[in-house]
Every structure is written in structure tokens, then in C-alpha cells.
Amino acid sequence: MEEPRTTNREPIVATELDVKKAAAINTLLLRPIDILPAKAGDPIRPFALGLWNEIRPLLKPDVPVMSLRRSTSAFLHSKRYYHACAQPGSMRHDLAGNPVEPLSDEDRLAAQQRLITLRQTQAKATVQREEPTPPPALNKAELIRASLLGRRSDRAAR
């Protein structure tokens, strides 16, 4: 069976946006976690199952848990993270960034499906943006004026 376009067998590296998302997570914690990319070009590593239970205790005392959930969600639901999970032979990593276990075939396929869905959604949004915008709605006075002008041009053509 042919591999889908969602896999390329190369490590997926972080962009500046990925680094910003990782930095947002680390600012909420007592200490940075090494699984997150520190600079553009660092690999994006899939999290080990249950890693949230290890990250949660590192939350600064004055920071709401919901802030950490939203920050990690923004990172974990990104296209590049899904791409990293969809790779053949991709491994899950612990807090220190060390590989601990391979992703299951089910998780890899789920990541591939999510990527396909994201691409389709992005393609639909692009098509919708390319449709011409309708002319602005005319008020009643402008409609009357246009109607009268249209009649004059019809009479002139006769």
C-alpha cells in the first residue's frame, strides 16, 4: 500500500510559530521542559501518553490550569505536530525529550486523517476567499436613481 502524502520519512522541524507556542507553554511552568522545541529547526517530538500528568505539577502556582491546557492544545493540535505523529516509525517522548515508545499504528493513522481534514478545510477556505465579493447593497434613493438612469439610456438607444 502506498504511503499517503502526509508522511515524508524525515523529521519534522519547528518553525518560529512552533517555537513561540512552546515558549508560551514554558512560561507557565516552573521550569522549561525539554520535549518542546527551543529554536526553529529543532525537531517536533510527539508527547508520550500521559505526559500531561507530568507537566501539570510543573505549573506555576499563580497560573490557572486552563491557561496551560490552552497553550498545550495550541501546540498539540497544530499541523506540524500532526505531521510529526504521522511519520513512519515516529516515537513518543518523555519530558526530557527522550524516546520512550513508538506511536501505535492507530495513532499514526489518526494523525494522517487529521492532516487530510486540515488540508481539505484549508482548501475550502481558499476557494471561498477567491469568490468575487458581491457589489455593495444600494440604498433606496440609489436604486431609484439607477432605475431612472436606465430608462433614459433605453430611450436614447431607440
Side-chain angles (χ1 to χ4, degrees):
M1 183 171 132
E2 184 179 322
E3 283 289 326
R5 285 183 356 166
T6 57
T7 59
N8 67 6
R9 300 185 187 275
E10 295 176 11
I12 304 304
V13 295
T15 63
E16 285 298 325
L17 180 59
D18 297 317
V19 173
K20 286 179 183 178
K21 290 177 184 178
I25 295 169
N26 280 330
T27 59
L28 303 174
L29 302 176
L30 296 170
R31 64 175 178 80
I33 54 177
D34 295 330
I35 189 172
L36 298 172
K39 63 184 182 319
D42 284 352
I44 294 183
R45 297 176 281 228
F47 284 21
L49 296 175
L51 197 64
W52 171 257
N53 296 329
E54 295 178 41
I55 296 173
R56 167 67 181 88
L58 298 175
L59 184 65
K60 290 179 181 175
D62 59 331
V63 176
V65 174
M66 189 54 77
S67 297
L68 181 61
R69 281 196 187 277
R70 287 184 179 141
S71 295
T72 53
S73 179
F75 182 79
L76 298 176
H77 295 286
S78 69
K79 187 187 269 188
R80 299 188 70 70
Y81 184 83
Y82 285 126
H83 204 177
C85 291
Q87 298 303 302
S90 57
M91 299 287 290
R92 294 192 176 277
H93 297 77
D94 62 13
L95 277 181
N98 301 316
V100 290
E101 65 181 342
L103 258 81
S104 68
D105 289 338
E106 295 83 23
D107 290 344
R108 250 181 16 88
L109 290 174
Q112 290 172 0
Q113 286 301 316
R114 185 67 181 133
L115 274 172
I116 291 167
T117 302
L118 287 172
R119 284 190 179 122
Q120 289 171 345
T121 303
Q122 187 177 16
K124 285 179 187 175
T126 302
V127 167
Q128 288 175 350
R129 271 188 257 133
E130 291 175 357
E131 291 178 3
T133 57
L138 302 174
N139 63 29
K140 191 172 183 178
E142 291 169 333
L143 288 171
I144 292 170
R145 196 172 293 121
S147 173
L148 292 173
L149 290 174
R151 288 184 191 161
R152 287 184 189 159
S153 63
D154 287 345
R155 287 183 194 156
R158 290 183 195 168

